[in-house]
Amino acid sequence: MTPTHRERDVRDAIQELLDSTRAFDRIHSGAPPDAGGESSGARRSASIEPNGTVVAGQGDDVGGALKATATVTLVLLARDDDPTVRDAAAETLLNTAAAALNGRSLGGITLPGSTRLRSWTWRKATPPERRIEAILEFQYLLEGWNDFDISE
């Protein structure tokens, strides 16, 4: 069976891989960690937020393969009253995410050589929280211009 080309399947695979690290108390899909009323017990969390996709053809051939390059934002959140511990925990979450995701075929869909954390930004600490927003980039192929999965 050919893998589907739904980016939600890729996001589900990201969530499963992050969850398998056991480094996170909670992982959200499509919403920032605080959107669901994060409990004080969730000291290490992440959210997976879709960003955008660019689809490029391989020349002028309308029947040829297309390459989609997509990004998601991973919002990594660490909570601790001690700012040194908080920042160290945030950095550990970033490194854990990179180790779990870089070079992987996500959901059997993405091209492993293109799957990587491309960049990250430390957000200003809001005690007791520190956030890092990381951009995960991945690519996948569409066999033709109409090879989009429209199933629910």
Side-chain angles (χ1 to χ4, degrees):
M1 182 174 158
T2 304
T4 62
H5 299 106
R6 297 183 310 197
E7 290 182 14
R8 67 178 174 223
D9 295 331
V10 174
R11 292 190 303 275
D12 289 346
I14 293 167
Q15 186 167 354
E16 288 174 18
L17 285 168
L18 292 179
D19 190 46
S20 73
T21 69
R22 303 210 186 287
F24 300 89
D25 298 320
R26 195 160 174 207
I27 302 169
H28 310 264
S29 184
D34 56 354
E38 189 75 34
S39 70
S40 60
R43 300 171 55 81
R44 311 288 182 259
S45 63
S47 70
I48 304 159
E49 303 174 25
N51 259 348
T53 304
V54 175
V55 178
Q58 310 294 315
D60 294 330
D61 180 9
V62 296
L66 299 172
K67 183 185 290 185
T69 303
T71 59
V72 298
T73 299
L74 302 177
V75 179
L76 309 169
L77 176 121
R79 286 190 171 136
D80 200 287
D81 290 329
D82 182 319
T84 303
V85 171
R86 177 177 59 234
D87 286 356
E91 185 175 47
T92 298
L93 294 178
L94 174 69
N95 292 340
T96 299
L101 301 171
N102 285 354
R104 298 282 182 124
S105 176
L106 304 172
I109 298 168
T110 66
L111 303 171
S114 69
T115 304
R116 68 185 170 283
L117 287 183
R118 185 180 71 196
S119 64
W120 51 90
T121 303
W122 288 74
R123 295 297 172 205
K124 183 176 178 178
T126 310
E129 296 182 353
R130 170 70 85 173
R131 293 174 192 242
I132 298 175
E133 293 182 9
I135 303 298
L136 176 70
E137 182 177 87
F138 55 89
Q139 294 179 329
Y140 59 94
L141 298 176
L142 297 162
E143 293 304 318
W145 288 38
N146 293 313
D147 190 29
F148 291 91
D149 187 331
I150 57 173
S151 64
E152 293 296 321

